[in-house]
Structure formats: structure tokens, C-alpha cells
Amino acid sequence: MLFSGWFRPSSEAEYNLARGKMFDSDEDGGLTTISLSNAPPSQFDRRTQERQVAVLRVAKLRTPHGEELCKVRNISSGGLMAHVYSSLDVGDAVTAEFKSGHPISGKIIWRRAGLAGMAFDEVVNAASVLSGDDFAPARQPRAPRLGLRLRARMRVGARYHAATLCDISQGGAKIEPEVAEIGQKVVLMVTGLPAITGVIRWHDRGQAGIQFDIALPFDTLAQWAATVQHRPGTDQADSESAPL
């Protein structure tokens, strides 16, 4: 049952949310709202419900097509409503993953004009999911990272190298092989994205981590990821995402 009036936090997670600690950067200023209802958010007249607190959250979706990003607009213990960038269908099995790294499985129950409703397979604590306090206390929260394998190019100084993009987030990427030393400046080139400058921060068993000089805008990364994942007949490891 929903109620009006001031939000009274009943847990440390909800207290942190109420203090406004859980904001992510987003160009359009949209907010994620937490509902007290146990039902998944409806596609109709979503602003008629009373809300506990407004924050902003992005999440990673694992779908039948691969991994992509979404902006969560409303979340309850039974489901969420999100702005999505791909052509998900009603009935698709999906898994949402927030900064805590904890996966929440469910399915798409409605679609409308860039929005999708997801019903969770199990009831969750919405405030704790957003804050990351309940499921992965030992894991450092981080921006959603998309796992994929696409051909790319790396420029190190005046030389170009063939590389494989293994994963990417707004702030960095993992590539293989190690084509530059730790601390070196590099430029990552993947078809569909602007050339990205950054610095090699780590090496590990033939792979390297790049920290971007400037974070990729969320919409840029999300739209690109949806295009790559939904490209008909694309085998990521052998795709022509970046001619070499």
C-alpha cells in the first residue's frame, strides 16, 4: 500500500538514498523513482503513484541479444521500468545488474515508445538494490561494464596495432593483447564510437586496462551497444566492427 507524506528511511540503504548519495551522471536529468508497491511499474500514468525517493540509476541488461545499458526510471520490489535502446520483445528473459554487481532476473512484460517494463522473478528490496548494500558488500561498486568481443585498433604513439575489445564502460575498457606499457597514452578506435584517448592502467595475463581521459556520454555508449548487439548475423569475435 502506498502512502503520502515525508519519506522515513527504515534502513541504512534508504537513509543513504534519501541523503542524495546515489546519483549517476545523465544528460537529460531523468530520475529513478522507488515505489512502495510490490507490483512491477505500469506503462500507464506512472506519475499517479506516490514515491519514496527520487534518485538516478543506470543498469546493465543481459538479454537474448547480449549485454546493453538502460536508464531505470521506476523500481519497486516486483519490477522496474526502464528507458531501453534496443528492440526487446514482450516475454524476453532479461537480467538487470546494478553497481553492486548483483544480477536480478525477470522478463519483459510490456513495451512502449522506448520504455520497457520488467517483472522480477523474485521480490527484492528496491532501496538496497540501488544502493548496493545488500548483495555484494565486498565488491566495490562501479559503473556498468559491457562484456563483448569486437575487433578494434589501438594507436600508441605513431604506430597502430590490431586489438580485441573485451569490455567497455563509460570510464574505461579492457583490451587484448598488451600493446602498450602501463602509463602510456593510447587511442582506442572501434567502429561506431569516436576515437577515445586514455592511459594504460594495468596488465594481466595478456590483457590491458584503459582509463579514458574523458568519460563516454551514457547515451552514446548505450545506443552504440544496442546497435552492436542487435546487428543481424553479427558474430562479435569475427565482426567487422573495426577494420584492421
Side-chain angles (χ1 to χ4, degrees):
M1 181 176 181
L2 303 180
F3 61 87
S4 61
W6 289 102
F7 166 64
R8 187 180 302 276
S10 58
S11 69
E12 182 179 354
E14 292 174 348
Y15 176 73
N16 288 338
L17 286 165
R19 292 189 63 189
K21 290 184 177 180
M22 307 308 299
F23 282 80
D24 289 325
S25 61
D26 177 57
E27 291 78 11
D28 67 4
L31 296 176
T32 306
T33 55
I34 304 174
S35 171
L36 287 172
S37 172
N38 289 329
S42 168
Q43 60 178 312
F44 302 109
D45 197 15
R46 62 192 180 98
R47 294 192 179 278
T48 61
Q49 294 184 340
E50 296 290 341
R51 280 77 171 271
Q52 286 178 281
V53 63
V55 294
L56 172 63
R57 270 291 171 265
V58 299
K60 177 171 73 175
L61 290 180
R62 294 203 293 268
T63 78
H65 310 285
E67 296 185 354
E68 53 195 71
L69 299 174
C70 70
K71 297 175 185 176
V72 179
R73 298 302 191 188
N74 195 339
I75 185 169
S76 70
S77 60
L80 61 80
M81 174 171 61
H83 178 82
V84 296
Y85 296 81
S86 64
S87 54
L88 294 175
D89 295 321
V90 172
D92 279 351
V94 295
T95 300
E97 185 176 306
F98 292 84
K99 280 189 174 181
S100 68
H102 178 79
I104 304 172
S105 62
K107 66 179 180 179
I108 301 299
I109 57 174
W110 59 261
R111 283 298 313 269
R112 175 174 63 85
L115 296 174
M118 173 185 175
F120 298 150
D121 290 337
E122 298 179 354
V123 173
V124 304
N125 183 316
S128 293
V129 166
L130 292 186
S131 67
D133 286 347
D134 58 344
F135 298 120
R139 177 170 175 170
Q140 182 68 28
R142 65 179 186 178
R145 185 170 293 271
L146 298 171
L148 71 176
R149 292 186 66 83
L150 295 173
R151 293 199 298 172
R153 286 195 298 171
M154 291 279 297
R155 182 165 65 82
V156 185
R159 300 189 63 182
Y160 289 82
H161 304 265
T164 298
L165 177 66
C166 302
D167 69 35
I168 189 169
S169 69
Q170 288 180 262
K174 179 168 66 179
I175 58 106
E176 59 184 32
E178 302 171 8
V179 296
E181 299 300 320
I182 292 175
Q184 273 193 294
K185 284 282 198 179
V186 297
V187 180
L188 173 66
M189 289 165 280
V190 184
T191 298
L193 289 175
I196 309 169
T197 61
V199 179
I200 300 295
R201 291 302 186 195
W202 56 264
H203 288 161
D204 184 25
R205 288 175 286 187
Q207 297 180 325
I210 306 171
Q211 179 182 342
F212 298 155
D213 292 338
I214 301 175
L216 285 173
F218 178 83
D219 282 340
T220 298
L221 182 59
Q223 290 168 359
W224 171 81
T227 300
V228 170
Q229 303 289 19
H230 288 258
R231 183 178 298 158
T234 296
D235 181 347
Q236 290 184 6
D238 299 322
S239 77
E240 298 181 1
S241 175
L244 301 178

